[in-house]
Amino acid sequence: MTDRTTYVTFAGVRRRGWTDTMMRDLLGTPDLQGRDPRRWSLSPLRLYLLARVETVERTPEFAETSALAPARSAAAVAYAERRRAAVLASIRAEPIEVPRLPGPELERRAARHRRLLGAREGAARGTPAGALVRWQVSYLRHALARYESLLDGLYGETGRGEAERLLRRRLYEAIAAAYPALADECRRRIGVER
């Protein structure tokens, strides 16, 4: 059995002020790696010998690397912010072309799209009030899914949520402009999906 008091986890090393790059470059591979018996996780539990971590923390390489870490972190944040701003600008500038269909054709395609999605609403129960309008907006929103590629390159904290909200709002506004009868449903979805 391993004495866990002589080891520190990956998260524990990070709490000591290490970055992922510092761990990779200065510590290398973990001393022990396996599954955490206390909880299930896809990623293995990585343990580093505490004595080895403390020894590396006393080296000049660690002092130099840790002095540079804030500047590198600031550069990474600045890059992420520039990327976020560029994606938001491209979303704002991208012309959104909504397919123009005659009313009966849009209704037919929306109902077919609904059936393909596995809707269980049968003719015996009838169509709920306003359902056709919701189906039409859903169909048109699906038809505009190609614009999701504008979000490529945004991950996690780099503004992905903000970009997704902006894109959804622009898509619903374009649908409302192309089909004024669907404008109320588009405004409702913009409000709900914030």
Side-chain angles (χ1 to χ4, degrees):
M1 175 126 190
T2 306
D3 181 12
R4 290 187 181 267
T5 59
T6 60
Y7 289 90
V8 63
T9 63
F10 180 81
V13 175
R14 292 189 82 194
R15 281 192 298 271
R16 294 175 68 97
W18 290 67
T19 64
D20 295 351
T21 305
M22 291 167 61
M23 282 188 268
R24 184 190 68 233
D25 294 345
L26 300 175
L27 283 177
T29 59
D31 297 301
L32 282 178
Q33 192 166 324
R35 296 287 172 213
D36 189 347
R38 294 168 290 177
R39 65 179 178 87
W40 185 88
S41 174
L42 285 176
S43 62
L45 180 66
R46 294 177 277 182
L47 297 174
Y48 297 89
L49 274 168
L50 182 59
R52 187 165 72 98
V53 171
E54 290 173 341
T55 302
V56 172
E57 287 176 344
R58 290 189 292 268
T59 64
E61 292 85 10
F62 178 80
E64 179 183 322
T65 306
S66 60
L68 295 175
R72 287 182 182 152
S73 178
V77 168
Y79 171 77
E81 180 57 33
R82 284 193 308 273
R83 177 72 183 138
R84 182 187 74 76
V87 169
L88 290 175
S90 70
I91 290 172
R92 286 186 189 100
E94 184 72 23
I96 297 176
E97 298 173 16
V98 179
R100 306 287 180 148
L101 302 168
E105 177 66 13
L106 178 58
E107 290 174 7
R108 187 186 67 72
R109 288 187 184 192
R112 182 173 184 271
H113 177 72
R114 181 72 173 177
R115 279 192 306 278
L116 289 174
L117 291 177
R120 301 240 180 239
E121 296 175 13
R125 291 191 324 197
T127 303
L132 189 55
V133 169
R134 289 192 302 275
W135 298 351
Q136 289 172 341
V137 172
S138 293
Y139 168 75
L140 290 168
R141 176 66 180 86
H142 179 74
L144 299 174
R146 67 183 179 275
Y147 291 101
E148 301 287 335
S149 65
L150 294 171
L151 301 172
D152 290 350
L154 287 182
Y155 307 100
E157 298 164 6
T158 59
R160 175 124 185 150
E162 181 183 0
E164 286 175 347
R165 286 187 297 275
L166 175 62
L167 180 61
R168 271 195 309 266
R169 190 183 85 233
R170 290 231 32 239
L171 293 175
Y172 286 131
E173 288 171 350
I175 292 169
Y179 297 94
L182 306 176
D184 289 339
E185 176 63 15
C186 290
R187 279 191 294 274
R188 185 191 70 77
R189 289 188 184 205
I190 289 171
V192 168
E193 295 182 9
R194 285 183 182 238

